Coordinates of all heavy atoms in Angstrom, one line a residue:
G28 N 0.8 -1.2 0.0 CA 0.0 0.0 0.0 C 0.9 1.3 0.0 O 2.0 1.2 -0.3
L29 N 0.2 2.3 0.4 CA 0.9 3.6 0.5 C 1.9 3.7 1.5 O 1.7 3.1 2.6 CB -0.1 4.7 0.7 CG -1.2 4.9 -0.4 CD1 -2.3 5.9 0.1 CD2 -0.5 5.5 -1.6
G30 N 3.0 4.3 1.3 CA 4.0 4.4 2.4 C 4.1 5.9 2.8 O 4.0 6.8 2.0
I31 N 4.4 6.1 4.1 CA 4.5 7.4 4.6 C 6.0 7.9 4.5 O 6.9 7.2 5.0 CB 4.1 7.5 6.1 CG1 2.6 7.2 6.2 CG2 4.4 8.9 6.7 CD1 2.0 7.2 7.6
I32 N 6.2 9.0 3.7 CA 7.5 9.5 3.6 C 7.8 10.5 4.8 O 8.9 10.5 5.3 CB 7.7 10.3 2.3 CG1 7.5 9.4 1.1 CG2 9.0 11.0 2.2 CD1 7.3 10.1 -0.2
G33 N 6.8 11.2 5.1 CA 7.0 12.2 6.3 C 5.7 12.9 6.7 O 4.7 12.8 6.0
W34 N 5.8 13.5 7.8 CA 4.7 14.3 8.3 C 5.3 15.5 9.0 O 6.3 15.4 9.8 CB 4.0 13.4 9.3 CG 2.7 13.9 9.9 CD1 2.4 15.1 10.5 CD2 1.5 13.2 9.8 NE1 1.1 15.2 10.8 CE2 0.5 14.0 10.5 CE3 1.0 11.9 9.4 CZ2 -0.8 13.6 10.6 CZ3 -0.3 11.6 9.6 CH2 -1.2 12.4 10.2
R35 N 4.7 16.7 8.9 CA 5.3 17.9 9.5 C 4.2 18.8 9.8 O 3.1 18.8 9.3 CB 6.2 18.6 8.6 CG 5.6 19.3 7.4 CD 6.6 20.1 6.6 NE 5.9 20.8 5.5 CZ 6.2 22.1 5.3 NH1 7.1 22.7 5.9 NH2 5.4 22.7 4.3
N36 N 4.5 19.7 10.8 CA 3.6 20.8 11.1 C 3.9 21.9 10.1 O 5.1 22.2 9.8 CB 3.9 21.4 12.5 CG 3.4 20.4 13.5 OD1 2.4 19.8 13.4 ND2 4.1 20.4 14.6
V37 N 2.9 22.5 9.5 CA 3.1 23.5 8.4 C 3.5 24.8 9.1 O 2.8 25.2 10.0 CB 1.9 23.7 7.6 CG1 2.1 24.8 6.6 CG2 1.6 22.4 6.8
P38 N 4.6 25.5 8.7 CA 5.0 26.7 9.3 C 3.9 27.8 9.1 O 3.4 27.9 8.0 CB 6.3 27.1 8.7 CG 6.7 25.9 7.9 CD 5.6 25.0 7.7
V39 N 3.6 28.6 10.1 CA 2.6 29.7 9.9 C 3.2 31.0 10.5 O 4.0 30.9 11.4 CB 1.3 29.3 10.6 CG1 0.6 28.1 10.0 CG2 1.4 29.1 12.1
D40 N 2.6 32.0 10.0 CA 3.0 33.4 10.5 C 1.7 33.9 11.0 O 0.9 34.5 10.3 CB 3.6 34.2 9.4 CG 3.9 35.7 10.0 OD1 3.7 35.9 11.2 OD2 4.3 36.5 9.2
N41 N 1.5 33.8 12.3 CA 0.2 34.3 12.9 C 0.5 35.6 13.7 O -0.3 36.0 14.5 CB -0.4 33.3 13.9 CG 0.5 32.8 15.0 OD1 1.6 33.4 15.2 ND2 0.2 31.8 15.7
S42 N 1.6 36.3 13.3 CA 1.9 37.6 14.1 C 0.9 38.7 13.8 O 0.9 39.6 14.6 CB 3.3 38.0 13.6 OG 3.3 38.3 12.3
E43 N 0.1 38.6 12.8 CA -0.9 39.6 12.5 C -2.3 39.3 13.1 O -3.2 40.1 13.1 CB -1.1 39.8 11.0 CG 0.2 40.2 10.3 CD 0.5 41.7 10.6 OE1 -0.4 42.5 10.7 OE2 1.7 42.0 10.6
L44 N -2.4 38.1 13.8 CA -3.7 37.8 14.3 C -4.0 38.4 15.6 O -3.1 38.6 16.5 CB -3.8 36.2 14.4 CG -3.7 35.4 13.2 CD1 -3.8 33.9 13.5 CD2 -4.8 35.8 12.2
G45 N -5.2 38.7 15.9 CA -5.6 39.3 17.2 C -5.9 38.1 18.1 O -5.7 37.0 17.8
E46 N -6.3 38.5 19.3 CA -6.5 37.5 20.4 C -7.6 36.5 20.1 O -7.4 35.3 20.3 CB -6.9 38.2 21.7 CG -7.0 37.3 22.9 CD -7.3 38.1 24.2 OE1 -6.8 39.2 24.4 OE2 -8.1 37.5 25.0
A47 N -8.8 37.0 19.6 CA -9.8 36.1 19.2 C -9.5 35.0 18.1 O -9.7 33.8 18.3 CB -11.1 36.9 18.8
P48 N -8.9 35.5 17.0 CA -8.5 34.5 16.0 C -7.4 33.5 16.5 O -7.4 32.3 16.1 CB -7.9 35.3 14.9 CG -8.5 36.7 15.0 CD -8.7 36.8 16.5
L49 N -6.5 34.0 17.4 CA -5.5 33.1 17.9 C -6.1 32.0 18.7 O -5.6 30.9 18.7 CB -4.5 33.9 18.8 CG -3.4 34.6 18.0 CD1 -2.6 35.5 19.0 CD2 -2.5 33.7 17.2
Q50 N -7.2 32.2 19.4 CA -7.8 31.2 20.2 C -8.5 30.1 19.4 O -8.6 29.0 19.9 CB -8.9 31.8 21.1 CG -8.3 32.7 22.2 CD -9.4 33.4 23.0 OE1 -10.6 33.1 22.9 NE2 -9.0 34.3 23.8
T51 N -8.8 30.4 18.1 CA -9.4 29.4 17.2 C -8.6 29.0 16.1 O -9.0 28.4 15.1 CB -10.8 29.9 16.8 OG1 -10.6 31.1 16.0 CG2 -11.7 30.1 17.9
E52 N -7.3 29.4 16.1 CA -6.4 29.1 14.9 C -6.2 27.6 14.8 O -5.9 26.9 15.7 CB -5.1 29.8 15.2 CG -4.1 29.5 14.1 CD -2.7 30.1 14.4 OE1 -2.4 30.4 15.5 OE2 -1.9 30.2 13.4
P53 N -6.5 27.1 13.6 CA -6.3 25.7 13.4 C -4.9 25.3 13.3 O -4.0 26.1 13.1 CB -7.0 25.4 12.0 CG -6.9 26.7 11.3 CD -7.0 27.8 12.4
I54 N -4.6 24.0 13.5 CA -3.3 23.4 13.4 C -3.2 22.8 12.0 O -4.1 22.0 11.7 CB -3.1 22.3 14.5 CG1 -3.1 23.0 15.9 CG2 -1.7 21.7 14.3 CD1 -3.1 22.0 17.0
H55 N -2.2 23.1 11.3 CA -2.0 22.6 9.9 C -0.9 21.6 9.9 O 0.2 22.0 10.4 CB -1.8 23.7 8.9 CG -3.0 24.6 8.7 ND1 -3.2 25.7 9.4 CD2 -4.1 24.4 7.9 CE1 -4.3 26.3 9.0 NE2 -4.8 25.5 8.1
E56 N -1.1 20.4 9.4 CA -0.1 19.4 9.3 C -0.1 18.9 7.9 O -1.1 19.0 7.2 CB -0.4 18.2 10.3 CG -0.3 18.7 11.7 CD -0.6 17.5 12.6 OE1 -1.6 16.8 12.3 OE2 0.0 17.4 13.7
Q57 N 1.1 18.5 7.4 CA 1.2 18.0 6.1 C 1.8 16.6 6.0 O 2.8 16.3 6.7 CB 2.2 19.0 5.3 CG 2.2 18.8 3.9 CD 3.0 19.9 3.2 OE1 3.9 20.5 3.8 NE2 2.7 20.3 2.0
L58 N 1.1 15.7 5.3 CA 1.5 14.3 5.1 C 2.1 14.1 3.8 O 1.5 14.5 2.8 CB 0.3 13.4 5.4 CG 0.4 12.0 5.2 CD1 1.3 11.4 6.2 CD2 -1.0 11.3 5.3
F59 N 3.1 13.4 3.7 CA 3.8 13.0 2.4 C 3.7 11.5 2.2 O 4.2 10.8 3.1 CB 5.2 13.5 2.3 CG 5.4 15.0 2.5 CD1 5.6 15.5 3.7 CD2 5.3 15.8 1.3 CE1 5.7 16.9 3.8 CE2 5.5 17.2 1.5 CZ 5.7 17.7 2.7
L60 N 3.1 11.0 1.2 CA 2.9 9.6 0.9 C 3.7 9.2 -0.3 O 3.8 9.9 -1.3 CB 1.4 9.3 0.7 CG 0.5 9.6 1.9 CD1 -0.9 9.5 1.5 CD2 0.9 8.7 3.1
R61 N 4.1 8.0 -0.3 CA 4.9 7.4 -1.4 C 4.0 6.4 -2.2 O 3.2 5.6 -1.7 CB 6.0 6.6 -0.9 CG 6.8 5.8 -1.9 CD 8.0 5.0 -1.3 NE 8.9 6.0 -0.7 CZ 9.3 5.9 0.6 NH1 8.9 4.9 1.4 NH2 10.1 6.8 1.1
K62 N 4.1 6.6 -3.5 CA 3.4 5.7 -4.5 C 4.2 4.4 -4.6 O 5.4 4.5 -5.0 CB 3.2 6.4 -5.8 CG 2.5 5.5 -6.8 CD 2.3 6.3 -8.2 CE 3.5 6.4 -9.0 NZ 3.9 5.2 -9.7
P63 N 3.6 3.3 -4.4 CA 4.3 2.0 -4.7 C 4.7 2.0 -6.1 O 4.0 2.3 -7.0 CB 3.3 0.9 -4.3 CG 2.4 1.6 -3.3 CD 2.3 3.0 -3.8
G64 N 5.9 1.4 -6.4 CA 6.4 1.3 -7.7 C 5.5 0.6 -8.7 O 5.6 0.8 -9.9
S65 N 4.8 -0.4 -8.2 CA 3.9 -1.2 -9.1 C 2.6 -0.6 -9.4 O 1.9 -1.1 -10.3 CB 3.7 -2.6 -8.4 OG 2.9 -2.4 -7.2
W66 N 2.3 0.6 -8.9 CA 1.0 1.3 -9.1 C 1.2 2.3 -10.2 O 2.2 3.0 -10.3 CB 0.5 2.0 -7.9 CG 0.0 1.1 -6.8 CD1 0.2 -0.2 -6.7 CD2 -0.6 1.6 -5.6 NE1 -0.4 -0.7 -5.5 CE2 -0.8 0.4 -4.8 CE3 -0.9 2.8 -5.1 CZ2 -1.5 0.5 -3.6 CZ3 -1.5 2.9 -3.8 CH2 -1.8 1.7 -3.1
D67 N 0.2 2.3 -11.1 CA 0.2 3.4 -12.1 C -0.5 4.6 -11.5 O -1.0 4.6 -10.3 CB -0.5 3.0 -13.4 CG -2.0 2.6 -13.2 OD1 -2.6 2.9 -12.1 OD2 -2.6 2.0 -14.1
E68 N -0.5 5.8 -12.2 CA -1.1 7.0 -11.7 C -2.6 6.9 -11.3 O -3.0 7.4 -10.3 CB -0.8 8.2 -12.7 CG 0.6 8.6 -12.8 CD 1.2 9.1 -11.5 OE1 0.5 9.9 -10.7 OE2 2.3 8.7 -11.1
T69 N -3.3 6.2 -12.1 CA -4.7 6.1 -11.9 C -5.0 5.3 -10.6 O -5.8 5.7 -9.8 CB -5.4 5.3 -13.1 OG1 -5.2 6.0 -14.3 CG2 -6.9 5.1 -12.8
R70 N -4.3 4.3 -10.4 CA -4.5 3.5 -9.1 C -4.0 4.4 -7.9 O -4.7 4.4 -6.8 CB -3.7 2.2 -9.1 CG -3.9 1.4 -7.8 CD -3.3 0.0 -7.8 NE -3.6 -0.6 -6.6 CZ -3.0 -1.8 -6.2 NH1 -2.1 -2.3 -7.0 NH2 -3.3 -2.3 -5.0
F71 N -2.9 5.1 -8.1 CA -2.4 5.9 -7.0 C -3.4 7.0 -6.6 O -3.8 7.2 -5.4 CB -1.2 6.6 -7.4 CG -0.5 7.4 -6.3 CD1 -0.3 7.0 -5.0 CD2 0.0 8.7 -6.6 CE1 0.3 7.8 -4.1 CE2 0.6 9.5 -5.7 CZ 0.8 9.0 -4.4
K72 N -4.0 7.7 -7.6 CA -5.1 8.7 -7.4 C -6.3 8.1 -6.7 O -6.9 8.7 -5.8 CB -5.4 9.4 -8.7 CG -4.4 10.3 -9.2 CD -4.8 11.2 -10.3 CE -5.3 10.4 -11.5 NZ -5.6 11.2 -12.7
R73 N -6.7 6.9 -7.2 CA -7.9 6.2 -6.6 C -7.6 5.9 -5.2 O -8.5 6.1 -4.3 CB -8.2 5.0 -7.5 CG -9.5 4.3 -7.1 CD -9.9 3.2 -8.0 NE -8.8 2.3 -8.4 CZ -8.4 2.1 -9.6 NH1 -9.0 2.7 -10.6 NH2 -7.4 1.3 -9.9
E74 N -6.5 5.5 -4.8 CA -6.1 5.0 -3.5 C -6.1 6.3 -2.5 O -6.5 6.3 -1.4 CB -4.9 4.3 -3.4 CG -4.6 3.6 -2.1 CD -5.6 2.5 -1.7 OE1 -6.3 2.1 -2.5 OE2 -5.6 2.2 -0.5
L75 N -5.5 7.4 -3.0 CA -5.5 8.6 -2.3 C -6.9 9.1 -2.0 O -7.2 9.5 -0.8 CB -4.7 9.7 -3.0 CG -3.2 9.6 -3.1 CD1 -2.6 10.7 -4.0 CD2 -2.6 9.6 -1.8
Y76 N -7.8 9.0 -3.0 CA -9.2 9.4 -2.8 C -9.8 8.5 -1.7 O -10.5 9.0 -0.8 CB -9.9 9.3 -4.1 CG -11.4 9.6 -3.9 CD1 -11.8 11.0 -3.8 CD2 -12.4 8.6 -3.9 CE1 -13.2 11.3 -3.7 CE2 -13.7 8.9 -3.7 CZ -14.1 10.3 -3.6 OH -15.4 10.5 -3.5
R77 N -9.6 7.2 -1.8 CA -10.2 6.2 -0.8 C -9.7 6.5 0.6 O -10.5 6.5 1.5 CB -9.8 4.8 -1.2 CG -10.5 3.7 -0.5 CD -10.1 2.3 -0.9 NE -8.8 2.0 -0.4 CZ -8.5 1.6 0.8 NH1 -9.5 1.5 1.7 NH2 -7.3 1.3 1.2
V78 N -8.4 6.8 0.7 CA -7.8 7.1 2.0 C -8.4 8.3 2.6 O -8.7 8.4 3.8 CB -6.2 7.1 1.9 CG1 -5.6 7.8 3.1 CG2 -5.7 5.8 1.7
Q79 N -8.5 9.4 1.7 CA -9.1 10.6 2.2 C -10.6 10.4 2.7 O -10.9 10.9 3.8 CB -9.1 11.7 1.2 CG -9.7 13.0 1.6 CD -9.5 14.1 0.6 OE1 -8.7 14.0 -0.3 NE2 -10.2 15.2 0.8
R80 N -11.3 9.7 1.9 CA -12.7 9.4 2.4 C -12.8 8.6 3.7 O -13.6 8.9 4.5 CB -13.5 8.7 1.2 CG -13.6 9.4 -0.1 CD -14.4 10.7 0.0 NE -15.7 10.4 0.3 CZ -16.7 11.2 0.7 NH1 -16.4 12.5 0.8 NH2 -17.9 10.8 0.9
L81 N -11.9 7.6 3.8 CA -11.9 6.8 5.0 C -11.5 7.7 6.2 O -12.1 7.6 7.3 CB -10.9 5.6 4.9 CG -11.3 4.5 4.1 CD1 -10.2 3.5 3.9 CD2 -12.5 3.7 4.7
A82 N -10.5 8.6 6.1 CA -10.1 9.5 7.2 C -11.2 10.4 7.5 O -11.4 10.7 8.7 CB -8.8 10.2 6.7
E83 N -11.9 10.9 6.5 CA -13.0 11.8 6.8 C -14.2 11.1 7.5 O -14.7 11.7 8.5 CB -13.6 12.5 5.5 CG -12.6 13.4 4.9 CD -12.9 13.9 3.5 OE1 -13.7 13.2 2.8 OE2 -12.4 14.9 3.1
A84 N -14.4 9.9 7.2 CA -15.5 9.1 7.9 C -15.1 8.8 9.3 O -15.9 8.9 10.2 CB -15.7 7.8 7.1
E85 N -13.8 8.6 9.5 CA -13.3 8.3 10.9 C -13.4 9.6 11.7 O -13.8 9.6 12.9 CB -11.9 7.9 10.8 CG -11.2 7.5 12.1 CD -11.8 6.3 12.8 OE1 -12.3 5.4 12.1 OE2 -11.7 6.1 14.0
A86 N -13.0 10.7 11.1 CA -13.1 12.0 11.8 C -14.5 12.3 12.2 O -14.9 12.7 13.3 CB -12.6 13.2 11.0
F87 N -15.5 12.0 11.3 CA -16.9 12.2 11.6 C -17.4 11.3 12.7 O -18.1 11.8 13.6 CB -17.8 12.1 10.3 CG -19.2 12.4 10.5 CD1 -19.6 13.8 10.6 CD2 -20.2 11.4 10.7 CE1 -20.9 14.1 10.8 CE2 -21.5 11.7 10.8 CZ -21.9 13.0 11.0
A88 N -17.0 10.1 12.6 CA -17.3 9.1 13.7 C -16.8 9.6 15.0 O -17.5 9.4 16.1 CB -16.8 7.7 13.4
N89 N -15.6 10.1 15.1 CA -15.0 10.6 16.3 C -15.8 11.8 16.8 O -16.0 12.0 18.0 CB -13.5 11.0 16.1 CG -12.6 9.8 16.2 OD1 -12.9 8.8 16.8 ND2 -11.5 9.9 15.5
K90 N -16.2 12.6 15.9 CA -17.1 13.8 16.3 C -18.3 13.4 17.0 O -18.7 13.9 18.1 CB -17.4 14.6 15.0 CG -18.3 15.8 15.3 CD -18.8 16.5 14.2 CE -19.6 17.6 14.6 NZ -20.7 18.0 13.7
I91 N -19.0 12.3 16.4 CA -20.2 11.8 17.0 C -19.9 11.2 18.4 O -20.6 11.5 19.4 CB -20.9 10.8 16.1 CG1 -21.2 11.5 14.7 CG2 -22.1 10.2 16.7 CD1 -22.3 12.6 14.8
E92 N -18.9 10.3 18.4 CA -18.6 9.5 19.6 C -18.2 10.4 20.7 O -18.5 10.2 21.9 CB -17.5 8.5 19.2 CG -17.1 7.6 20.3 CD -16.1 6.6 19.9 OE1 -16.2 6.0 18.9 OE2 -15.0 6.5 20.6
R93 N -17.3 11.4 20.4 CA -16.8 12.2 21.5 C -17.5 13.5 21.7 O -17.2 14.3 22.6 CB -15.3 12.5 21.1 CG -14.4 11.3 21.1 CD -13.0 11.7 20.8 NE -12.2 10.6 20.7 CZ -10.9 10.6 20.3 NH1 -10.4 11.8 20.0 NH2 -10.2 9.6 20.3
G94 N -18.5 13.8 20.9 CA -19.3 15.0 21.0 C -18.4 16.3 20.7 O -18.5 17.3 21.3
L95 N -17.5 16.2 19.7 CA -16.6 17.2 19.4 C -17.3 18.3 18.6 O -18.3 18.1 17.9 CB -15.5 16.7 18.4 CG -14.6 15.6 19.0 CD1 -13.6 15.2 18.0 CD2 -13.8 16.1 20.3
E96 N -16.8 19.5 18.8 CA -17.2 20.7 18.1 C -16.6 20.7 16.7 O -15.6 20.0 16.5 CB -16.9 22.0 18.8 CG -17.5 22.1 20.1 CD -19.0 22.3 20.1 OE1 -19.4 23.0 19.2 OE2 -19.7 21.8 21.0
E97 N -17.2 21.4 15.7 CA -16.6 21.4 14.3 C -15.1 21.9 14.4 O -14.3 21.3 13.7 CB -17.4 22.4 13.5 CG -17.2 22.2 12.0 CD -17.8 21.0 11.5 OE1 -18.8 20.5 12.0 OE2 -17.3 20.5 10.5
A98 N -14.8 22.8 15.2 CA -13.4 23.3 15.3 C -12.4 22.3 15.8 O -11.2 22.5 15.6 CB -13.4 24.6 16.1
Q99 N -12.9 21.2 16.5 CA -12.0 20.2 17.0 C -11.8 19.1 16.1 O -11.1 18.2 16.4 CB -12.6 19.7 18.4 CG -12.8 20.7 19.4 CD -13.6 20.2 20.6 OE1 -14.7 19.8 20.5 NE2 -12.9 20.2 21.8
M100 N -12.5 19.1 14.9 CA -12.4 18.0 14.0 C -11.2 18.1 13.1 O -10.6 19.2 12.8 CB -13.6 18.0 13.2 CG -14.8 17.5 13.9 SD -16.3 17.3 12.8 CE -15.7 16.2 11.6
S101 N -10.7 17.0 12.6 CA -9.7 16.9 11.6 C -10.4 17.1 10.2 O -11.5 16.8 9.9 CB -9.1 15.5 11.5 OG -8.5 15.3 12.7
Y102 N -9.6 17.8 9.3 CA -10.1 18.1 7.9 C -9.0 17.9 7.0 O -7.9 18.4 7.2 CB -10.7 19.5 7.9 CG -11.0 20.0 6.5 CD1 -12.2 19.6 5.9 CD2 -10.2 20.9 5.9 CE1 -12.5 20.0 4.6 CE2 -10.5 21.3 4.6 CZ -11.6 20.9 4.0 OH -11.9 21.3 2.7
I103 N -9.2 17.2 5.9 CA -8.1 17.0 4.9 C -8.5 18.0 3.7 O -9.5 17.9 3.1 CB -8.1 15.6 4.4 CG1 -7.8 14.6 5.5 CG2 -7.1 15.4 3.3 CD1 -7.9 13.2 5.2
S104 N -7.6 19.0 3.5 CA -7.9 19.9 2.4 C -7.6 19.3 1.1 O -8.2 19.7 0.1 CB -7.1 21.2 2.6 OG -5.7 21.0 2.7
S105 N -6.6 18.4 1.0 CA -6.3 17.8 -0.3 C -5.3 16.7 -0.1 O -4.4 16.7 0.7 CB -5.7 18.8 -1.2 OG -5.2 18.2 -2.4
L106 N -5.5 15.6 -0.9 CA -4.5 14.5 -1.0 C -4.1 14.4 -2.5 O -3.8 13.3 -3.0 CB -5.0 13.2 -0.5 CG -4.9 12.9 0.9 CD1 -5.5 11.5 1.3 CD2 -3.5 13.0 1.4
S107 N -4.0 15.5 -3.2 CA -3.7 15.5 -4.6 C -2.2 15.2 -4.8 O -1.4 15.7 -4.1 CB -3.9 17.0 -5.2 OG -3.3 17.1 -6.5
P108 N -2.0 14.3 -5.7 CA -0.5 14.0 -6.0 C 0.1 15.0 -6.9 O 1.3 14.9 -7.2 CB -0.7 12.6 -6.8 CG -2.0 12.7 -7.5 CD -2.9 13.5 -6.5
Y109 N -0.6 16.0 -7.3 CA 0.0 17.0 -8.2 C 0.2 18.4 -7.6 O 0.9 19.2 -8.2 CB -1.0 17.2 -9.4 CG -1.2 15.9 -10.1 CD1 -2.5 15.3 -10.1 CD2 -0.2 15.2 -10.8 CE1 -2.7 14.1 -10.7 CE2 -0.4 14.0 -11.4 CZ -1.6 13.4 -11.3 OH -1.9 12.2 -11.9
S110 N -0.5 18.8 -6.5 CA -0.4 20.1 -6.0 C -0.5 20.2 -4.5 O -1.1 19.3 -3.9 CB -1.5 21.0 -6.7 OG -2.7 20.6 -6.3
L111 N 0.1 21.2 -4.0 CA 0.0 21.5 -2.5 C -1.2 22.5 -2.3 O -1.3 23.4 -3.1 CB 1.2 22.1 -2.0 CG 2.5 21.2 -2.1 CD1 3.7 22.0 -1.6 CD2 2.3 20.0 -1.2
T112 N -1.9 22.3 -1.3 CA -3.1 23.2 -1.0 C -2.9 23.8 0.4 O -2.7 23.0 1.3 CB -4.4 22.4 -1.1 OG1 -4.5 21.8 -2.4 CG2 -5.6 23.4 -0.9
Y113 N -2.9 25.1 0.4 CA -2.8 25.8 1.7 C -4.1 26.6 1.8 O -4.5 27.2 0.9 CB -1.6 26.7 1.7 CG -0.3 26.0 1.9 CD1 0.5 25.7 0.8 CD2 0.2 25.5 3.1 CE1 1.7 25.0 0.9 CE2 1.3 24.8 3.2 CZ 2.1 24.6 2.1 OH 3.3 23.9 2.2
K114 N -4.6 26.5 3.0 CA -5.9 27.3 3.3 C -5.5 28.5 4.1 O -4.6 28.5 5.0 CB -6.9 26.4 4.0 CG -7.3 25.2 3.3 CD -8.6 25.4 2.7 CE -9.0 24.2 1.9 NZ -10.3 24.3 1.4
G115 N -6.2 29.6 3.8 CA -6.0 30.8 4.6 C -7.1 31.8 4.4 O -7.8 31.8 3.4
Q116 N -7.3 32.6 5.4 CA -8.3 33.7 5.3 C -7.4 35.0 5.3 O -6.9 35.3 6.3 CB -9.2 33.6 6.4 CG -10.4 34.6 6.3 CD -11.4 34.4 7.4 OE1 -11.3 33.5 8.2 NE2 -12.5 35.2 7.3
L117 N -7.4 35.6 4.2 CA -6.5 36.8 4.0 C -7.4 38.1 3.7 O -8.4 37.9 3.1 CB -5.5 36.6 2.9 CG -4.7 35.3 3.0 CD1 -3.8 35.1 1.8 CD2 -3.7 35.4 4.2
T118 N -6.8 39.2 4.0 CA -7.4 40.4 3.6 C -6.9 40.8 2.2 O -5.9 40.2 1.8 CB -7.0 41.5 4.6 OG1 -5.6 41.8 4.5 CG2 -7.5 41.2 6.0
P119 N -7.6 41.7 1.5 CA -7.1 42.0 0.2 C -5.7 42.5 0.2 O -4.9 42.3 -0.8 CB -8.1 43.1 -0.3 CG -9.4 42.8 0.4 CD -8.9 42.3 1.8
E120 N -5.3 43.3 1.2 CA -3.9 43.8 1.3 C -2.9 42.7 1.4 O -1.7 42.9 1.0 CB -3.8 44.8 2.5 CG -4.7 46.0 2.4 CD -6.1 45.8 2.7 OE1 -6.5 44.9 3.5 OE2 -7.0 46.6 2.1
Q121 N -3.2 41.6 2.0 CA -2.3 40.5 2.2 C -2.0 39.7 0.9 O -1.1 38.9 0.8 CB -2.8 39.6 3.3 CG -2.7 40.2 4.7 CD -3.4 39.3 5.7 OE1 -4.5 38.9 5.6 NE2 -2.7 39.1 6.8
V122 N -3.0 39.7 0.0 CA -2.9 38.9 -1.2 C -2.0 39.5 -2.2 O -1.6 40.5 -2.4 CB -4.3 38.7 -1.8 CG1 -4.2 37.9 -3.2 CG2 -5.2 37.9 -0.9

């Protein structure tokens, strides 16, 4: 199956955030997965999609089981093999 190459906390610059946003600032982590040599791109993309759906289902089950708030849940922004996705809420001046 898929192999884990690495996992890291994504560096952030929260120096411009006020007190309220800092209290609800999400934690961003990045996972790097290895495609097995015997898999073609189609199978790799299909497996990434399957893994993402399983992880989301597990996160939802944990939400129900533990009574978690939305802000306490895990969320996968992308498992694309082609691009990195960063989420952010920026003002027009920051863009």
Side-chain angles (χ1 to χ4, degrees):
L29 296 169
I31 295 177
I32 298 170
W34 190 304
R35 74 175 185 135
N36 290 324
V37 176
V39 297
D40 177 6
N41 59 9
S42 61
E43 298 287 324
L44 297 179
E46 185 177 323
L49 280 173
Q50 292 177 9
T51 59
E52 180 183 16
I54 297 169
H55 293 92
E56 296 176 319
Q57 193 171 26
L58 174 66
F59 299 92
L60 298 172
R61 175 179 300 124
K62 177 178 78 73
S65 61
W66 290 8
D67 63 13
E68 290 299 312
T69 301
R70 182 171 181 194
F71 184 49
K72 289 190 300 186
R73 186 173 44 240
E74 190 65 16
L75 289 174
Y76 178 78
R77 189 182 74 79
V78 166
Q79 181 171 346
R80 299 297 292 170
L81 286 171
E83 289 168 345
E85 183 70 24
F87 185 75
N89 280 335
K90 176 186 181 210
I91 301 295
E92 183 179 308
R93 297 180 182 174
L95 299 176
E96 298 292 324
E97 196 73 28
Q99 297 170 301
M100 289 184 56
S101 297
Y102 171 75
I103 299 173
S104 60
S105 173
L106 273 183
S107 170
Y109 304 113
S110 61
L111 298 175
T112 303
Y113 288 95
K114 298 261 180 175
Q116 187 171 0
L117 306 171
T118 63
E120 294 81 24
Q121 292 172 307
V122 176

